[in-house]
Amino acid sequence: MIIDPRGYIITNHHVVDGVKEIQVTLASRGGASVGDHYTARLIARDMETDLAIIKIDAAKEVPAITLGSSADLMPGEEVIAVGNAYGYDHTVTRESSARCIARCK
């Protein structure tokens, strides 16, 4: 997930752990075309939380996701969770925050 238009990407630690070269391919969106390939460098990692930050050096800014805060989340807004729940690869969950809030209470 691209978190900064300068090319910073958040991924899982286990994805980049022990890898000699990190390859990134962008999908078509915001001027980047399908198949744009980059070699990324590891910026930071944390094994305990299974998170890593990598960076690609693109010629222009890349489209980044807008991150929000649960502090300003309103009922009915859509939320997503990205990960590999229960060992399934490439899991993305999308749901209305009203349902999430109701289940968390």
Side-chain angles (χ1 to χ4, degrees):
M1 181 180 330
I2 302 172
I3 58 170
D4 186 281
R6 295 172 295 174
Y8 289 92
I9 300 170
I10 190 166
T11 188
N12 294 107
H13 173 267
H14 72 267
V15 171
V16 297
D17 187 36
V19 174
K20 292 183 184 202
E21 187 173 83
I22 304 167
Q23 293 293 316
V24 174
T25 303
L26 298 183
S28 178
R29 183 170 172 244
S33 61
V34 174
D36 279 354
H37 297 283
Y38 300 92
T39 299
R41 65 184 187 277
L42 184 62
I43 302 297
R45 62 183 170 187
D46 181 51
M47 188 183 324
E48 187 174 322
T49 59
D50 193 29
L51 292 175
I53 303 291
I54 61 175
K55 184 174 186 314
I56 60 172
D57 292 318
K60 59 182 177 179
E61 289 189 342
V62 291
I65 190 164
T66 302
L67 298 176
S69 167
S70 60
D72 61 1
L73 184 64
M74 296 173 47
E77 288 184 310
E78 291 204 353
V79 295
I80 63 168
V82 180
N84 61 341
Y86 307 112
Y88 295 113
D89 288 338
H90 311 294
T91 303
V92 177
T93 305
R94 182 180 128 208
E95 195 163 337
S96 164
S97 63
R99 291 180 62 192
C100 294
I101 293 168
R103 276 194 275 169
C104 293
K105 287 186 177 180

